[in-house]
């Protein structure tokens, strides 16, 4: 099969205690180089194999999420986002969020977990626990992936990117770091021209980890090739670069445009699709300055961006406020 998106075996790094990883180990350096190259060249996107997050943890999140998304609308709306200029937490119905700021209808529903003022659907008692477990597992992996990327940049400090993410996984520290469960309802006869499952956009943060079911439809935009599919591969996680990583690395890891198409296949179109996403977004008070290094493009705009301002700007545009 002609696979456009690189597949990287990260050799169960998740299950190794972070402090006991030997970053001098040639095997770890090889993984770091492959991963860095995959995110730098063309696709800005990679599949991770042997990521170590238990499949059961993922399928439980999909099952509990489905129970929530299939509740009546009036119940789901009790949990909708309260004020998108302040927090990213809560439920969004079809048509509420449009990620490329246009007047396109996105046929998706989401529940985002963000911040420390979290509320959860009481109708689905296990929702909170399973979401937070998978979120924590993703956080553990994020910090290891940041180390690999710092290594691939040949930086002495393997914690260079972690230092910029700061404490975003600590809920007592304000950040827009977010975990999202997404549900794309079966596409019915009321679909209109222009409808899409998720419109073209880049993510706002450093890295996004995406777990998808077997329906497909995700695509990334690759400069020389246009839109290319990122089909589901069982047992893998998809990693996508975001705006803050692009800024931090002076464009070396450019943010990757992506979207989700409605399947052309009639049978698949009538099926729902589910994903879980973990977006790593630095603490609110972090200013991201582009790194200076001979590897990087000296022409990159050196103006810093503030993490909160950037993510909030993107978020409010998506909700039209
Ligand atoms: O669900 C997907 O496959 C992608 C969703 C996405 O890109 C997003 O929510 O930012
Ligand atoms: Fe996205």
């Amino acid at each position: 099969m002609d696979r456009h998106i690189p597949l990287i075996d990260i050799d169960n790094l998740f299950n190794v205690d972070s402090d006991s990883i030997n970053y001098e180990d040639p095997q770890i350096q090889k993984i770091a180089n492959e991963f860095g190259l995959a995110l730098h060249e063309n696709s800005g996107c990679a599949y991770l194999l042997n990521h170590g997050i238990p499949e059961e943890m993922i399928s439980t999140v999909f099952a509990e999420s489905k129970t929530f998304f299939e509740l009546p609308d009036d119940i789901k709306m009790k949990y909708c986002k309260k004020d998108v200029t302040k927090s990213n937490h809560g439920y969004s119905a079809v048509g509420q969020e449009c990620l490329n700021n246009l007047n396109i209808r996105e046929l998706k529903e989401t529940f985002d977990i963000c911040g420390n003022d979290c509320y959860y659907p009481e109708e689905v008692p296990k929702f909170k626990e399973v979401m937070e477990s998978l979120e924590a597992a993703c956080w553990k992996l994020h910090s290891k992936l940041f180390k690999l990327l710092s290594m691939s940049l040949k930086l002495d400090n393997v914690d260079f990117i972690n230092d910029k993410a700061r404490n975003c996984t600590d809920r007592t520290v304000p950040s827009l770091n977010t975990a999202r469960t997404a549900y794309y309802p079966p596409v019915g006869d009321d679909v209109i021209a222009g409808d899409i499952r998720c419109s073209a956009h880049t993510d706002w943060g450093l890295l996004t980890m995406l777990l998808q079911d077997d329906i497909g439809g995700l695509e990334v935009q690759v400069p020389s090739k246009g839109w290319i599919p990122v089909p589901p591969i069982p047992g893998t996680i998809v990693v996508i670069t975001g705006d803050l990583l692009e800024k931090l690395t002076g464009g070396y890891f450019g943010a990757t445009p992506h979207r989700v198409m409605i399947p052309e296949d009639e049978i698949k179109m009538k099926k729902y699709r589910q994903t879980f996403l973990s977006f790593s977004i630095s603490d609110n008070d972090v200013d991201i300055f582009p790194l200076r290094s001979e590897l990087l493009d000296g022409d990159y705009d050196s103006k810093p961006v503030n993490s909160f301002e950037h993510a909030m700007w993107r978020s409010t545009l998506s909700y039209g406020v």
Side-chain angles (χ1 to χ4, degrees):
M1 179 176 135
D2 178 18
R3 190 183 283 124
H4 300 282
I5 309 291
L7 189 141
I8 319 252
D9 185 340
I10 59 165
D11 201 15
N12 251 327
L13 215 54
F14 176 83
N15 292 321
V16 181
D17 176 32
S18 203
D19 295 334
S20 65
I21 297 176
N22 173 10
Y23 291 94
E24 306 289 317
D25 178 344
Q27 177 60 15
I28 303 277
Q29 293 195 337
K30 183 167 169 283
I31 295 172
N33 289 337
E34 279 181 18
F35 183 41
L37 213 58
L39 295 194
H40 170 57
E41 288 186 336
N42 320 287
S43 57
C45 169
Y47 293 101
L48 301 183
L49 185 65
N50 284 323
H51 52 75
I53 298 182
E55 284 304 317
E56 201 204 323
M57 203 182 244
I58 303 164
S59 56
T60 313
V61 162
F62 283 171
E64 295 298 316
S65 300
K66 179 169 178 282
T67 306
F68 170 74
F69 288 117
E70 289 180 351
L71 289 170
D73 290 346
D74 58 335
I75 294 183
K76 289 186 285 189
M77 289 309 282
K78 289 197 298 182
Y79 303 102
C80 67
K81 295 189 177 184
K82 290 189 174 140
D83 180 353
V84 293
T85 65
K86 296 207 172 73
S87 168
N88 209 19
H89 184 85
Y91 168 71
S92 285
V94 167
Q96 282 193 311
E97 182 188 70
C98 177
L99 287 167
N100 79 355
N101 320 324
L102 296 177
N103 242 352
I104 293 178
R105 193 167 62 141
E106 293 190 352
L107 305 179
K108 75 175 196 305
E109 296 178 52
T110 53
F111 197 113
D112 291 331
I113 303 184
C114 177
N116 62 6
D117 181 21
C118 297
Y119 43 89
Y120 292 90
E122 58 192 37
E123 294 76 5
V124 189
K126 275 168 56 192
F127 184 90
K128 173 180 191 299
E129 182 196 323
V130 300
M131 282 289 285
E132 288 188 350
S133 308
L134 184 53
E135 178 189 45
C138 289
W139 284 342
K140 252 173 93 181
L141 195 51
H142 268 296
S143 78
K144 290 176 181 168
L145 300 183
F146 290 155
K147 287 191 195 234
L148 295 179
L149 292 183
S150 299
M151 284 170 71
S152 79
L153 286 170
K154 311 284 178 243
L155 301 174
D156 294 336
N157 178 9
V158 289
D159 281 317
F160 171 73
I161 303 176
N162 276 305
D163 290 349
K164 296 296 165 193
R166 280 251 215 100
N167 302 307
C168 59
T169 58
D170 174 349
R171 288 200 191 285
T172 62
V173 178
S175 89
L176 291 173
N177 203 41
T178 298
R180 157 170 289 193
T181 178
Y183 177 84
Y184 301 85
V187 176
D189 298 333
D190 55 345
V191 64
I192 49 172
D195 281 354
I196 192 164
R197 279 191 154 162
C198 179
S199 57
H201 66 283
T202 56
D203 290 342
W204 319 325
L206 293 162
L207 272 189
T208 301
M209 288 175 29
L210 189 157
L211 296 150
Q212 54 179 337
D213 68 9
D214 60 356
I215 295 296
L218 177 67
E219 297 184 348
V220 291
Q221 194 176 31
V222 176
S224 55
K225 299 191 187 126
W227 288 101
I228 61 170
V230 188
I233 301 182
T236 63
I237 287 181
V238 174
V239 177
I240 296 175
T241 46
D243 296 346
L244 294 184
L245 190 66
E246 170 172 328
K247 188 74 188 177
L248 178 62
T249 59
Y252 183 82
F253 294 126
T256 307
H258 53 284
R259 64 184 183 185
V260 183
M261 306 300 284
I262 295 171
E264 282 171 14
D265 181 308
E266 281 269 340
I267 296 174
K268 277 197 173 162
M269 189 196 284
K270 303 263 180 255
K271 290 188 173 163
Y272 62 86
R273 172 175 187 263
Q274 284 189 275
T275 55
F276 176 89
L277 301 105
S278 168
F279 305 97
S280 55
I281 304 184
S282 309
D283 293 356
N284 286 354
D285 65 343
V286 172
D287 292 324
I288 305 277
F289 288 86
L291 171 73
R292 288 272 158 251
S293 152
E294 62 274 18
L295 258 182
L296 310 175
D297 176 5
D299 289 340
Y300 195 80
D301 179 5
S302 61
K303 224 168 89 221
V305 293
N306 170 263
S307 172
F308 177 78
E309 280 170 20
H310 178 74
M312 246 323 140
W313 169 65
R314 293 287 316 271
S315 164
T316 47
L317 280 180
S318 305
Y319 285 88
V321 294

